[in-house]
């Protein structure tokens, strides 16, 4: 396993990023993950396309192999991700006017949660089901921990009380000391 020592510097509020050197991603993208409309791989591709979105042209134009290389994903995964991102309205795919056989990607802002849920109302229901399950499992885990701690305390207490002090070993005959005159 590779072990890398991090920078140890906080990213948020770091002066190094005040004048660029990073891309801001809207908080609302989290809702797409939360409601399982996109995966972590989809987000990886979305951020990559966002970073390569050329302001002068109005779109990003990397090919699938470049996206795969830069994101660490396979070509097949990249194709699935771009298709899903297109399906959920985060990107629009088009053809380059300069090279008709080349795809271009228009990277759109994520919807705000209200609009997103209006368009996919079953997503909130599924999320709420997962939330109820999560809370139930957390409660059960807490109860198991409480039972474990009580049982452990009882075991520890009974072990201490059941310990007996071993009897002193006595020899049959006490040693005799010789007392001499003048000593």
């Amino acid at each position: 396993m590779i072990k890398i020592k991090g920078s140890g510097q906080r990213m948020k509020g770091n002066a190094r990023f005040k004048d660029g050197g990073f891309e801001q991603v809207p908080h609302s993208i989290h809702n797409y993950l939360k409601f399982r409309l996109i995966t972590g791989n989809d987000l990886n591709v979305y951020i990559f396309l966002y970073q390569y979105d050329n302001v002068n042209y109005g779109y990003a134009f990397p090919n699938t192999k470049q996206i795969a290389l830069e994101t660490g994903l396979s070509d097949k995964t990249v194709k699935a991700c771009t298709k899903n991102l297109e399906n959920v309205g985060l990107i629009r795919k088009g053809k380059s006017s300069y090279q008709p056989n080349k795809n271009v990607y228009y990277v759109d802002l994520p919807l705000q949660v209200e609009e997103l849920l209006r368009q996919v109302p079953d997503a909130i229901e599924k999320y709420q089901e997962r939330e109820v399950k999560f809370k139930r499992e957390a409660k059960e885990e807490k109860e198991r921990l409480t039972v474990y701690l009580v049982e452990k305390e009882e075991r520890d207490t009974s072990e201490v009380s059941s310990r007996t002090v071993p009897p002193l070993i006595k020899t049959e005959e006490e040693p005799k000391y010789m007392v001499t005159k003048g000593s």
Side-chain angles (χ1 to χ4, degrees):
M1 180 164 95
I2 297 174
K3 177 90 169 148
I4 299 173
K5 184 179 181 333
S7 69
Q9 298 176 5
R10 279 190 43 91
M11 189 166 119
K12 193 167 190 171
N14 191 310
R16 189 168 93 186
F17 296 119
K18 287 190 178 174
D19 297 323
F22 73 98
E23 303 294 337
Q24 291 184 341
V25 178
H27 291 286
S28 55
I29 192 70
H30 175 73
N31 294 319
Y32 288 77
L33 288 165
K34 176 178 168 178
F35 298 125
R36 294 186 175 175
L37 300 170
I38 65 171
T39 66
N41 285 341
D42 295 336
L43 180 61
N44 188 3
V45 171
Y46 178 75
I47 291 172
F48 175 81
L49 292 172
Y50 175 55
Q51 289 173 328
Y52 279 79
D53 192 348
N54 185 308
V55 178
N56 297 324
Y57 291 111
Y59 52 79
F61 47 91
N63 62 38
T64 302
K65 293 211 177 291
Q66 183 181 3
I67 298 170
L69 175 67
E70 296 296 324
T71 59
L73 303 171
S74 70
D75 290 359
K76 183 179 176 181
T77 301
V78 167
K79 288 175 184 174
C81 290
T82 55
K83 183 176 182 174
N84 191 46
L85 290 169
E86 195 172 14
N87 288 340
V88 298
L90 289 171
I91 66 170
R92 291 173 285 130
K93 196 166 21 172
K95 293 293 181 187
S96 169
S97 55
Y98 303 108
Q99 298 175 350
N101 63 338
K102 186 171 174 99
N103 288 329
V104 296
Y105 303 94
Y106 301 92
V107 182
D108 295 332
L109 278 171
L111 296 174
Q112 293 300 313
V113 70
E114 298 81 16
E115 177 60 21
L116 185 63
L117 292 176
R118 191 181 69 69
Q119 291 192 36
V120 283
D122 61 321
I124 188 71
E125 186 177 315
K126 290 177 183 176
Y127 172 77
Q128 288 170 336
E129 288 169 5
R130 288 193 317 273
E131 186 178 36
V132 166
K133 181 181 175 188
F134 169 78
K135 287 179 179 179
R136 185 185 69 244
E137 288 173 350
K139 182 181 177 189
E140 290 169 357
E141 186 65 28
K142 187 175 181 181
E143 289 169 357
R144 277 194 299 274
L145 177 62
T146 302
V147 168
Y148 168 79
L149 291 174
V150 167
E151 289 174 351
K152 183 179 183 310
E153 179 66 28
E154 289 171 355
R155 280 192 310 272
D156 292 348
T157 303
S158 69
E159 284 177 12
V160 168
S161 64
S162 68
R163 290 185 193 151
T164 57
V165 180
L168 293 175
I169 301 174
K170 293 184 177 179
T171 58
E172 292 191 18
E173 198 174 297
E174 293 291 326
K176 297 181 180 175
Y177 298 98
M178 188 181 291
V179 179
T180 59
K181 283 185 172 181
S183 26

